[in-house]
Amino acid sequence: MTTGTVLTFYSYKGGVGRSFTLANVAVLLARWGFRVLTVDWDLEAPGLHHYFGPKLVEQPERGVVDLAHDFLPDAGTQDAPRDLESYTVRVGVEGGRLDLLAAGRVVSGKLDDSYSKRMQALNWEELYRRGFAAYLERCRAEWTENYDFVLLDSRTGVSDIAGICTAHLPDRLVVVFTANDQNLDDVVDVARRADRARDRLPYDRPRHSVLPILSRLDNRVEYERAERWQRKCAETVAPLFGNWLAQTVPVDLMMRHLTVPYVSYWSFGEQLPVLEEEVPKADQISYALETVASVIAQDFDRTDVLADNRDAYVAAARDRCREFDLDVLVSSARQSKVAAELIQELHLLGVRADRSLSGDPGFLAEATDSAQHLCLVVEGPLNRWQITESERFLRHTLGPEGRHRQLFCLIARGIDRDELPGFVRNLHHLEFTPDVRPVRVARQLHHLLTATGAGPDQEALRAAAAALRALPDTLPYAERFVLVEDTVRGMATALDNGDLALLLDRSADLDFLGRAHGDGAGVPASHALLAVTRALLSRIDRRINAFTE
C-alpha cells in the first residue's frame, strides 16, 4: 500500500513567505485531487488558520499544542489518540481533500486566550524523555495512511520545535529563502544539521531530499540585480539538488523554475492567489506556485521533463488524480459527417467521445480540457481552429507517471500529407475512406485508446529510476556498498533480460539498502559504483522517455 509523503516547509529567517507558499501549494494539490493535511507547527507565530480562515468548514477546537498536552496523561503508552481526526478541520476546496491541524483552538479567527500559556508550558525535552517520539511516530503513521501529502509549517531558526519538523517527522524538506546573505548562509547547512539529527534518532529514514524555493524576488523593476542574485542563489544551493535533480538539467534553470516572484498585490494580508489566478500567466505568482506544487506532486522526479516543457509537467501533475469527463475529443471541420459517425461508432464500443469546439468561433474563449485524448479528423486543409486546438493540447500533453494523453490523426484517403502542418505529418495516421461509415477506423482508434496508460512495465522502470536517484553518496559500512553494487548490477541484468518483475523486486531491495545510515561521516561510494549507477539510470530514463514521447 502506498503511503503519503511528509514535507516540512522551513525557513531560517521569518518574513520570507514560507506559510504563504505552503498554504497555496496545499490548495493546488487538493484541487488536483490529492488528499492533503497541513500542520501548523510554527507554534510561536502560527498563521495557517488565517490563510484558510474563509474556507474553513468550522473553527478548530484543538491543535498541535493540545496534541502534546493530551499525550501527558498517557505518557509511555506510545499510542496515538484514537480520535486523531478530531484535531483537524476541513478546508473547503474543490477537488481532493484539504485538512488543517492548527496550532491550537481558534475563536472568531484568532487563537483563544489560553493558547500562549499552554504553548509556553510545553517542555519538549521532557516530552521526548517520556516517549513523545514514539507517540509522534504513531501519529505520523496514521497521517501518511490517510493523506497523500502532509505539509508541516515549521518554526524558523534552530529550536526543539524546528528539530521535530526538520529531523524527526519529514521525508523531504522544502526550504524557503530570500535573496540576501542572511538567508543564504544557512539554507544549505540546514539540511546537513537535519541529517545529523536524524542519525541520532532510532528511525531508519533516508537522507533528506531538499527543495530550495527562492521567494519574494522582485524581478519586475530591478531586473539586472535580480538576475545577479538569482545566479548567486543557484550557485549557493547547488548542493541541495545533488540527490534528485536530473543530471541534464542546469541548476540555474531549475532555480528559475523554483523562484516565487514578489508581487505587491499579494503582499497584504494572508491570501490565496491560486484560487483567483486559476489559469495563471507566466508573470503571475500562481504560475510559480503551480511549478513548485508540481515538483512535489511528481515526487521530485522527472525534472528533465520540467526543463523541456514546464506546461506539460504541470499538466501531468494536475492530471495524476484526475478523472477526465471524456476519453477522446474529436476535432473536425464544422460540417463533418465523418466526425459524427465516428463518435457514434466509438459510443458503441464503449468509448466516451464527443465533438470538440473547433468549429465554434467561441472556442478560444472557452479553452476546455475535458478529454484525455484528442483526435484530429483531416478531410482537407486544417482550419485555424483545429490547428489552435491541437497546439494547445500538445503544450499540455506529457504523462511522466504513465498517464498518457495522445493526439491521434484520422486522415481521408487522397489527402496530400506534405501539405499538412509539420506536427500533423509526424503523427501516426489512421486512414479512412470518405463517404464510407468509419467502422474499421473506429475499431483501430478504440484499440489505441485502450492500449494507452500506465502499464506494469512502465511502473517498474519508474520505481527503478527513483531507487537509483535516492541512493546516498555515503553509507555507514563498506560492506553495505558491496550489497548495493550487487543489487544495481542485478537490476541491469534484469533490464537486459526484459524481466521487469525482477527489476521491480531489485529496486525495492536497493531502496531498502539505501535507507540505512548511522552516526558519523560514513563510507563514500566508489567511483565504479557511481559509474554503474549513472549508466543504468541513463538507460532507464531513455526507456521511460520512449513511453512518453
Side-chain angles (χ1 to χ4, degrees), residues 213-382:
I213 306 296
L214 174 55
S215 179
R216 300 177 66 82
L217 184 73
D218 188 352
N219 54 10
R220 297 189 177 193
V221 179
E222 297 292 343
Y223 178 78
E224 292 184 0
R225 294 184 66 187
E227 282 286 301
R228 289 197 299 271
W229 270 100
Q230 199 162 36
R231 287 194 297 269
K232 179 177 180 178
C233 291
E235 292 172 359
T236 302
V237 304
L240 300 181
F241 292 105
N243 64 347
W244 63 270
L245 182 64
Q247 295 180 359
T248 57
V249 180
V251 169
D252 60 341
L253 174 61
M254 192 64 191
M255 197 71 259
R256 291 179 184 278
H257 283 300
L258 298 177
T259 296
V260 178
Y262 173 76
V263 180
S264 59
Y265 180 83
W266 300 113
S267 65
F268 302 97
E270 293 81 12
Q271 302 186 72
L272 297 172
V274 295
L275 291 178
E276 297 187 34
E277 300 172 345
E278 294 192 17
V279 186
K281 300 177 182 178
D283 61 344
Q284 291 181 310
I285 198 167
S286 296
Y287 186 88
L289 291 166
E290 277 189 343
T291 308
V292 172
S294 298
V295 175
I296 292 173
Q298 304 275 27
D299 199 29
F300 290 33
D301 197 14
R302 293 310 307 275
T303 48
D304 54 331
V305 176
L306 173 59
D308 291 339
N309 189 337
R310 180 267 177 196
D311 288 346
Y313 188 81
V314 172
R318 185 177 59 239
D319 293 340
R320 281 182 65 179
C321 295
R322 179 181 177 186
E323 294 297 329
F324 289 94
D325 297 330
L326 298 170
D327 298 314
V328 62
L329 206 60
V330 178
S331 175
S332 66
R334 186 178 301 187
Q335 302 299 328
S336 172
K337 176 183 176 183
V338 171
E341 293 177 341
L342 175 67
I343 291 170
Q344 292 176 11
E345 295 295 334
L346 290 172
H347 285 169
L348 293 174
L349 294 169
V351 176
R352 298 174 301 167
D354 202 352
R355 192 77 168 266
S356 80
L357 299 174
S358 57
D360 186 341
F363 162 71
L364 291 179
E366 299 205 14
T368 56
D369 194 20
S370 59
Q372 185 173 354
H373 306 291
L374 180 66
C375 177
L376 282 178
V377 176
V378 182
E379 301 175 76
L382 287 182

Side-chain angles (χ1 to χ4, degrees), residues 132-154:
F132 190 63
Y135 176 79
L136 279 184
E137 279 296 296
R138 298 293 294 270
C139 294
R140 184 187 189 279
E142 184 169 332
W143 290 335
T144 54
E145 181 179 352
N146 295 327
Y147 297 93
D148 300 306
F149 295 102
V150 180
L151 309 183
L152 308 179
D153 195 16
S154 171

Side-chain angles (χ1 to χ4, degrees), residues 92-111:
V93 175
E94 294 182 4
R97 173 182 174 184
L98 177 57
D99 290 344
L100 167 67
L101 174 53
R105 182 169 182 260
V106 176
V107 179
S108 300
K110 298 180 180 180
L111 291 165

